[in-house]
């Protein structure tokens, strides 16, 4: 079995690749586990670190170039994890780039899968940014999509396309609608939510960080560990069990900035918490205020997909999985 991860140089793609190589198999067309013979990480840049494994290779290219994507997703491909995207703030400020990568790139991936004629499994990552407007206290599986950003609009379109291509038998599609994933290792990016991981990552690594939103701002969050587990579950389940709507809202816990700072204090002491400074940014505050504050993911619960037990568990996972490497980074 050949597997492709677009956005493979990114944090989620790299973490999933490690897990798949460790696991060694994925569900095939008939649901039975098949050995992974080749795992391709595709991105605009090469991964910062590539695991030494004969099954793994890295390919660089432009997801918005149709011919490149068609060569990437060839007849040997059985599963595609489509993570490649321009993040929220960048998609908002550069409309053309957001459309090219998030919309055209997704269409090229879907068309390449369609051309195979084998209905490969495809897992697409969407976002809570598909919601917006006058939101309820907690979004649920049937909460309408009313995106208020270009990124959210592009993700909502991607969800609909996955449903349509699945309906027509071109792919066996699934979509995970992600909350904010915390704590992401590495350096800040241009996502509107990048400050959330920085709020934990930098102080616990002994570095100062700036918080652009108020103490009362609250977010729905999920750890990388829980996300990768959800990706595995979603890929391997029978697509028919999802019904005509192949999108699944992921569960999360909700915490305010004030609660996040207290979690940093519990994990790293007063010295770590003192490294958090305030620098209000109206644009970031506006974007974040439009996101759902809480999630009720009853459908995910039926498939055994659960949120982290609490905020301290999320922080502890980062400490165990990434903190030592994070401290060694040169900024």
């Amino acid at each position: 079995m050949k597997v492709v991860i677009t956005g493979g140089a990114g944090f989620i793609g790299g973490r999933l690749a490690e897990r798949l190589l460790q696991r060694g198999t994925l569900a095939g067309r008939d649901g039975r586990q098949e050995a992974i013979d080749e795992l391709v990480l595709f991105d605009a840049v090469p991964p910062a670190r590539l695991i030494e494994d004969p099954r793994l290779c890295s390919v660089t290219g432009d997801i918005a170039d149709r011919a490149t994507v068609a060569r990437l997703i060839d007849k040997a491909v059985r599963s595609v994890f489509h993570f490649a995207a321009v993040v929220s703030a960048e998609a908002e400020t550069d409309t053309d780039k957001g459309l090219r990568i998030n919309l055209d790139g997704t269409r090229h991936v879907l068309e390449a899968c369609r051309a195979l004629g084998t209905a490969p499994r495809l897992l697409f990552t969407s976002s809570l940014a598909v919601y917006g407007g006058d939101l309820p206290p907690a979004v649920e599986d049937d909460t309408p999509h009313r995106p208020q950003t270009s990124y959210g609009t592009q993700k909502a379109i991607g969800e609909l396309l996955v449903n349509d291509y699945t309906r027509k038998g071109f792919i066996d599609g699934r979509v995970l609608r992600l909350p904010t994933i915390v704590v992401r290792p590495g350096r800040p990016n241009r996502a509107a939510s990048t400050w959330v991981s920085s709020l934990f990552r930098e102080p616990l690594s002994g570095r100062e960080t700036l918080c652009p939103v108020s103490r009362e701002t609250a977010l729905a969050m999920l750890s990388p560990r829980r996300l990768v587990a959800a990706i595995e579950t979603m890929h391997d389940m029978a697509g028919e069990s999802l019904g005509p709507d192949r999108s699944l809202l992921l569960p999360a816990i909700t915490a305010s900035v004030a609660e996040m700072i207290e979690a940093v204090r519990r994990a790293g002491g007063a010295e770590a918490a003192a490294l958090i400074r305030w620098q209000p940014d109206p644009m970031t505050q506006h974007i974040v205020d439009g996101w759902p504050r809480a999630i009720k993911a009853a459908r995910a619960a039926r498939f055994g997909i659960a949120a982290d037990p609490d905020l301290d568990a999320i922080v502890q996972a980062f400490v165990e999985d990434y903190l030592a490497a994070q401290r060694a980074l040169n900024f």
Side-chain angles (χ1 to χ4, degrees):
M1 169 188 281
K2 180 178 178 180
V3 179
V4 170
I5 302 176
T6 74
F11 154 63
I12 296 174
R15 174 109 187 194
L16 178 64
E18 290 183 9
R19 173 61 187 144
L20 294 183
L21 292 173
Q22 178 188 54
R23 172 177 164 168
T25 65
L26 276 174
R29 256 178 241 157
D30 59 3
R32 290 184 293 183
Q33 292 293 308
E34 296 182 14
I36 299 171
D37 304 309
E38 185 178 1
L39 178 57
V40 181
L41 305 182
F42 177 80
D43 213 312
V45 296
R49 181 179 67 90
L50 194 64
I51 305 165
E52 291 189 12
D53 191 297
R55 296 167 293 175
L56 184 67
C57 70
S58 170
V59 175
T60 57
D62 184 359
I63 195 75
D65 182 77
R66 184 169 183 166
T68 297
V69 177
R71 288 192 298 271
L72 173 74
I73 300 175
D74 59 24
K75 289 288 186 181
V77 171
R78 296 290 179 267
S79 293
V80 177
F81 297 90
H82 180 39
F83 302 154
V86 169
V87 293
S88 49
E90 189 172 6
E92 190 66 20
T93 56
D94 191 337
T95 301
D96 291 333
K97 186 174 183 180
L99 289 171
R100 192 173 69 84
I101 303 299
N102 295 349
L103 186 54
D104 296 341
T106 296
R107 278 206 60 214
H108 295 336
V109 169
L110 290 170
E111 281 296 293
C113 290
R114 174 187 176 187
L116 298 181
T118 57
R121 294 194 183 207
L122 178 139
L123 189 145
F124 171 68
T125 46
S126 184
S127 165
L128 289 187
V130 301
Y131 301 113
D134 188 14
L135 289 171
V139 293
E140 302 187 47
D141 297 306
D142 57 356
T143 301
H145 291 185
R146 295 190 183 94
Q148 304 296 302
T149 62
S150 294
Y151 177 76
T153 299
Q154 292 149 13
K155 287 295 186 180
I157 293 170
E159 289 195 28
L160 291 172
L161 286 172
V162 170
N163 279 342
D164 196 44
Y165 275 61
T166 299
R167 177 183 65 84
K168 291 187 170 183
F170 300 151
I171 62 169
D172 182 0
R174 311 97 210 281
V175 177
L176 287 178
R177 199 173 299 140
L178 275 56
T180 300
I181 304 303
V182 180
V183 177
R184 291 174 178 260
R187 296 175 174 83
N189 60 22
R190 296 187 65 182
S193 61
T194 191
W195 61 269
V196 187
S197 285
S198 293
L199 203 66
F200 299 98
R201 186 181 58 221
E202 268 60 87
L204 292 176
S205 303
R207 301 182 180 99
E208 184 177 296
T209 192
L210 299 173
C211 182
V213 300
S214 69
R215 289 178 179 269
E216 296 73 32
T217 302
L219 290 172
M221 298 181 291
L222 185 72
S223 71
R225 286 183 181 179
R226 296 280 177 157
L227 172 58
V228 170
I231 290 171
E232 289 185 79
T233 298
M234 189 72 160
H235 176 278
D236 280 2
M237 71 171 59
E240 296 79 9
S241 64
L242 291 164
D245 183 4
R246 292 300 183 98
S247 298
L248 190 71
L249 174 64
L250 284 181
I253 63 168
T254 298
S256 68
V257 168
E259 290 169 328
M260 296 178 209
I261 293 171
E262 287 307 306
V264 170
R265 191 187 310 277
R266 289 192 293 272
E271 298 84 359
L275 292 170
I276 300 170
R277 315 270 192 241
W278 259 259
Q279 188 176 76
D281 180 73
M283 178 180 174
T284 300
Q285 186 74 64
H286 175 73
I287 291 174
V288 174
D289 284 346
W291 293 344
R293 294 168 62 94
I295 294 173
K296 289 183 180 178
R299 200 161 169 239
R302 291 199 294 273
F303 294 118
I305 297 173
D308 301 274
D310 52 42
L311 192 54
D312 289 334
I314 290 178
V315 175
Q316 185 59 33
F318 167 72
V319 170
E320 293 173 1
D321 295 348
Y322 297 115
L323 184 57
Q326 189 69 37
R327 285 174 171 163
L329 278 180
N330 293 319
F331 277 71

